[in-house]
Amino acid sequence: MQNRRQQHLSYIYAWFLVFVTPFAVPLAVITAWQGKVTKIDILCAFTMYCISGLGITLGYHRLVTHRAFQAKPWLRKILLIAGSFAMQGSPASWASLHIQHHRFADKQHDPHSPHQKGFWHAHCGWIFHGYKPDFRRFGKWLPKDPEVKHVSKYYLYYSNLGLLIPWLLCGWMGLLWAGLLRLFLTCHMTWSINSICHRFGKRAYTGTADQSTNHFLIALLTFGEGWHNNHHRHLQMPFLGHRWFEIDMGKWALLILQKCGWVWDLKIPKHFTSYEKSNSTL
Ligand SMILES: [Zn+2]
Ligand SMILES: [Zn+2]
């Protein structure tokens, strides 16, 4: 599933995301200053941010990596395609490398720990290192999953839809705001989970064998992913916000999808009430 062509592709995407998309920030400011941006362009950018962000947290992370719930095949495919709009790799390789992160969290073989090779390596430097997913050790089920297989196979096309759709809908301003600027924001937010949420923030579960933290602002902007210490404590728990004030928009989306009957079998631990005390036995 991860051939040489995909390795080259991920390297090109890494350069594009880290060195090209930042130019969208001043360009977006200038176009806004000149009054060239319409409300529709901004709405398109906001919508694409939500679609790709929810695709990453619900599709790539909670559904495929941690198998935290079951979903209808068509919904699985939609969530994975939405996640591919963030250009963070195919679902198969993303999930496998993330499982490796959990297996070695903040230890030597963690692909992106700020405690091993520094903050910037953890943030976005690691994506240039060509880490290869090892499906035999991390995510044996991934190559057998039909939706993961499909979206990973056509990842090149699906990921570029995230740029094509805004361009078709809103022209060049759509490409700038909902394509490039949105990609810049989505990626830096996801990358912040690896860098900021393993160094700064609060540790509600102090007993986890890693340095993961919870960060309110990151959680707000990543649809719940910023409750990363909670997540490291309960890997298969589909909800990342564990206390009533921990806003987890991914959880809200899952509850709506559950009401519709499109997702089920949410793996909420039996003993889990609303929150376990910080120093509970781990
Ligand atoms: Zn995880
Ligand atoms: Zn982590």
Side-chain angles (χ1 to χ4, degrees):
M1 283 176 88
Q2 180 79 4
N3 55 33
R4 191 179 280 266
R5 194 178 69 108
Q6 281 173 330
Q7 281 280 307
H8 284 310
L9 188 67
S10 63
Y11 198 63
I12 292 167
Y13 275 23
W15 275 90
F16 173 67
L17 294 172
V18 173
F19 296 113
V20 178
T21 60
F23 288 103
V25 179
L27 284 174
V29 172
I30 291 166
T31 51
W33 187 264
Q34 292 173 335
K36 289 180 180 168
V37 189
T38 65
K39 282 179 187 157
I40 301 290
D41 298 328
I42 293 170
L43 182 67
C44 184
F46 176 74
T47 308
M48 285 300 289
Y49 182 85
C50 294
I51 289 173
S52 52
L54 284 168
I56 288 290
T57 184
L58 294 186
Y60 272 45
H61 192 204
R62 305 186 206 198
L63 174 66
V64 160
T65 307
H66 295 292
R67 299 181 288 178
F69 60 93
Q70 302 280 325
K72 299 255 186 200
W74 61 266
L75 180 62
R76 291 170 61 85
K77 202 177 272 186
I78 285 177
L79 288 173
L80 295 181
I81 291 171
S84 75
F85 291 173
M87 289 190 161
Q88 293 173 11
S90 71
S93 65
W94 194 104
S96 183
L97 289 171
H98 186 72
I99 293 165
Q100 185 176 340
H101 162 65
H102 280 298
R103 192 74 54 85
F104 300 107
D106 292 324
K107 308 276 182 331
Q108 194 191 354
H109 298 294
D110 183 345
H112 45 64
S113 167
H115 302 280
Q116 290 297 323
K117 291 184 181 167
F119 184 87
W120 288 107
H121 172 86
H123 191 72
C124 57
W126 71 278
I127 59 176
F128 294 97
H129 282 246
Y131 290 107
K132 287 193 183 111
D134 183 346
F135 296 114
R136 275 184 307 165
R137 293 177 69 200
F138 313 115
K140 272 199 276 281
W141 63 91
L142 293 167
K144 296 175 206 148
D145 184 308
E147 285 81 31
V148 171
K149 226 162 115 176
H150 172 82
V151 179
S152 296
K153 186 174 174 187
Y154 298 106
Y155 171 65
L156 171 66
Y157 306 104
Y158 285 132
S159 57
N160 279 291
L161 272 184
L163 294 174
L164 186 66
I165 292 169
W167 182 66
L168 289 174
L169 289 176
C170 302
W172 294 108
M173 275 309 130
L175 182 65
L176 174 64
W177 277 73
L180 301 178
L181 180 67
R182 183 268 312 170
L183 260 180
F184 172 82
L185 295 172
T186 304
C187 286
H188 280 281
M189 280 301 118
T190 304
W191 297 338
S192 295
I193 308 297
N194 303 331
S195 54
I196 293 175
C197 291
H198 271 266
R199 190 173 278 276
F200 307 105
K202 291 188 174 149
R203 283 171 54 73
Y205 295 106
T206 50
T208 58
D210 51 63
Q211 301 299 311
S212 58
T213 60
N214 288 335
H215 197 292
F216 173 79
L217 188 62
I218 306 283
L220 200 62
L221 297 169
T222 54
F223 307 92
E225 287 289 322
W227 305 118
H228 199 54
N229 178 238
N230 293 355
H231 172 57
H232 270 266
R233 171 64 183 90
H234 287 290
L235 289 184
Q236 236 195 345
M237 169 70 159
F239 306 148
L240 306 185
H242 290 182
R243 291 174 283 184
W244 66 269
F245 56 86
E246 292 176 344
I247 296 170
D248 175 5
M249 285 185 262
K251 171 184 171 178
W252 302 346
L254 270 181
L255 290 173
I256 294 169
L257 293 170
Q258 189 185 32
K259 271 256 178 290
C260 297
W262 298 333
V263 310
W264 64 93
D265 194 17
L266 274 67
K267 306 274 189 318
I268 300 165
K270 276 201 181 74
H271 63 279
F272 198 88
T273 49
S274 61
Y275 172 64
E276 291 178 60
K277 285 200 163 48
S278 306
N279 294 310
S280 58
T281 315
L282 295 171

